[in-house]
Amino acid sequence: MTANGAALGIDVGGTSIKVRLVADDGRVLEEQRVPTPREDPQATALAELVATLGQRARTVARRRGTELGAIGLVVPGVVDEDAGRSVLSVNLGWRDVPVRARVADALRAAGVDAVPLAFGHDVRAGALAEVRAAGPGAAPGGPLDTDTDTDTDTATDTIAALGRGTVAFVPVGTGLASALVVDGRVVPGGGWAGEVGQVRIRDGAHAGLRVEEVASAGAVARRSGAPSAHDAMLRVLDGDPVARRAWDDCVDVLADTLAWLTAVAGCHTLIVGGGLAQSGPLLFDPLRAAVADRLAGVRLPELVGARHGDAAGAIGAVLLARQARAGSAQAGSARAASVRAGSVPDVAVTA
């Protein structure tokens, strides 16, 4: 084990928080999910939770013969990575919240402040993880070596293809957002790029609703009367007409969104992730057909499921943590760092 220490990636979602602790040689030391704090408009409860997760990660790392080297935290919504603020997060009820500073204060109070803290956007971090995926064969500071079934040559070819042209990463989770990667670099748009779920539908049966109020896992569950999108999927398979209608509406509105992304940005690949993507052909077969139907005369993109599933954000957070650690080492100090997702160098990971 090298002296750089393990990296803790924390991906805050609207429903749950995905946590991944990765050793410097690429091995996953621990994974867990915890509920996202509710009624937390100032991110106070989240900060305390991150501090607790940091304490646990330090303990686990020491048991495995290393130290906690850095923490990466990514959150949803409109994120100003340079300022360390959540400008707006509809699903979490945040507006202009200094999340990075709040978390840094909680880490300091918990005695876990001697490690750099990277802060970023969940979808942009997930996009980085997707376009920079690699096969196994980790070296210290290299890939996150957890996919033992991946053919290395195939993975390398995939990385090369996704590193050219325009790729869109669209996780369909509690809400809906996207990230564009152009020639291997994420387009941040000053924090505002990719908020496709917030566009208001003007016409048809869903007029007046935002896109993510129809086309998201959260919307499918809610409109199906199911406790989760997975339960809604099971109801669809059982022939439930309410769940089927919600599912078909989701596909229809999501196809509109993906078609516009493709037409405007010239995407050659659309990577669909998040919880809903776990449904496989039930989602992808009708979605591919619907996107193709909308893009007559336009180059059809390859529409694929996320390589890392819904773990992409946590893996991206690990990448940001590693970059913060590298920057801290170069500066000769362990300080909190804001890392713009689009500036992370080429570091490959696997899920």
Side-chain angles (χ1 to χ4, degrees):
M1 196 77 67
T2 68
N4 287 328
L8 177 65
I10 302 173
D11 173 22
V12 179
T15 304
S16 65
I17 298 173
K18 304 169 190 70
V19 185
R20 178 172 288 214
L21 179 64
V22 181
D24 191 52
D25 62 5
R27 290 176 298 112
V28 176
L29 301 180
E30 185 176 60
E31 292 182 275
Q32 60 175 313
R33 294 187 186 220
V34 296
T36 302
R38 310 307 302 172
E39 304 300 327
D40 186 30
Q42 294 302 313
T44 304
L46 174 72
E48 293 173 356
L49 177 57
V50 171
T52 299
L53 293 171
Q55 289 176 318
R56 175 173 176 79
R58 182 175 59 186
T59 298
V60 172
R62 287 174 175 172
R63 287 174 182 168
R64 303 297 289 271
T66 186
E67 290 288 337
L68 177 62
I71 298 173
L73 173 69
V74 297
V75 301
V78 180
V79 177
D80 185 337
E81 288 134 326
D82 290 333
R85 304 183 77 86
S86 169
V87 178
L88 176 66
S89 181
V90 174
N91 289 323
L92 295 179
W94 293 349
R95 184 180 292 274
D96 196 27
V97 177
V99 178
R100 186 184 63 198
R102 200 138 288 161
V103 170
D105 287 344
L107 288 170
R108 187 176 304 110
V112 196
D113 57 321
V115 296
L117 171 66
F119 177 72
H121 183 256
D122 60 344
V123 179
R124 289 193 285 276
L128 285 173
E130 286 296 325
V131 302
R132 294 172 185 180
L144 310 188
D145 185 13
T146 62
D147 188 356
T148 57
D149 295 325
T150 301
D151 179 84
T152 303
D153 291 337
T154 300
T156 301
D157 291 343
T158 301
I159 297 165
L162 294 178
R164 296 189 296 268
T166 304
V167 176
F169 173 57
V170 186
V172 188
T174 303
L176 180 72
S178 67
L180 285 178
V181 183
V182 179
D183 294 329
R185 297 185 67 82
V186 173
V187 178
W192 289 91
E195 290 300 308
V196 295
Q198 304 309 314
V199 176
R200 196 168 298 282
I201 301 170
R202 296 298 303 273
D203 303 301
H206 310 301
L209 297 177
R210 290 175 292 114
V211 167
E212 70 174 24
E213 291 179 294
V214 181
S216 66
V220 168
R222 184 172 58 255
R223 298 181 71 239
S224 298
S228 69
H230 179 74
D231 288 293
M233 178 195 71
L234 295 178
R235 294 185 185 189
V236 172
L237 294 174
D238 286 339
D240 184 305
V242 175
R244 168 53 71 179
R245 185 163 55 251
W247 194 272
D248 291 345
D249 288 347
C250 173
V251 169
D252 187 56
V253 173
L254 182 57
D256 287 341
T257 302
L258 296 180
W260 276 111
L261 274 174
T262 300
V264 171
C267 303
H268 63 74
T269 303
L270 302 173
I271 304 172
V272 177
L276 210 64
Q278 305 303 307
S279 58
L282 186 65
L283 173 68
F284 284 96
D285 287 352
L287 186 59
R288 288 190 180 101
V291 170
D293 181 62
R294 287 158 171 76
L295 291 176
V298 177
R299 180 185 66 180
L300 291 181
E302 184 178 6
L303 201 160
V304 299
R307 175 181 173 84
H308 301 304
D310 64 355
I315 294 171
V318 169
L319 288 179
L320 298 184
R322 284 181 167 183
Q323 176 62 10
R325 183 184 63 195
S328 177
Q330 291 170 1
S333 63
R335 54 181 169 76
S338 174
V339 180
R340 178 175 295 280
S343 69
V344 177
D346 292 332
V347 182
V349 300
T350 60

